[in-house]
Amino acid sequence: MINAGDDKVVDPVAAAVVAERLPRCREVTLPGARHGIWSELDDTVEELWSEIDRFLDVQAPKLAQSR
């Protein structure tokens, strides 16, 4: 779960509580990010994509790695 650290729409603390209750959930908070993470500065969006890539590498490894 990726949370925006400065979200004014979704309470980051409440989101963290939900993440703790989800099995196999790993919470990542992007400090200073707001609700529309995709509209943030390039550095924040780059960090968002890095987290997505990490998640996919674990959950759906490349075919070459699974052989």
Side-chain angles (χ1 to χ4, degrees), residues 38-61:
W38 294 106
S39 301
E40 291 288 346
L41 298 173
D42 290 345
D43 289 346
T44 301
V45 174
E46 187 175 315
E47 188 175 354
L48 173 64
W49 275 116
S50 293
E51 291 299 336
I52 292 170
D53 287 341
R54 271 191 214 93
F55 171 80
L56 291 175
D57 285 345
V58 170
Q59 298 301 320

Side-chain angles (χ1 to χ4, degrees), residues 1-61:
M1 175 185 294
I2 298 175
N3 291 322
D6 195 23
D7 201 327
K8 303 294 186 219
V9 177
V10 175
D11 179 5
V13 174
V17 169
V18 170
E20 288 176 10
R21 294 179 180 183
L22 294 172
R24 299 179 356 183
C25 181
R26 182 174 70 88
E27 178 199 8
V28 174
T29 299
L30 301 181
R34 294 167 298 188
H35 186 74
I37 295 176
W38 294 106
S39 301
E40 291 288 346
L41 298 173
D42 290 345
D43 289 346
T44 301
V45 174
E46 187 175 315
E47 188 175 354
L48 173 64
W49 275 116
S50 293
E51 291 299 336
I52 292 170
D53 287 341
R54 271 191 214 93
F55 171 80
L56 291 175
D57 285 345
V58 170
Q59 298 301 320

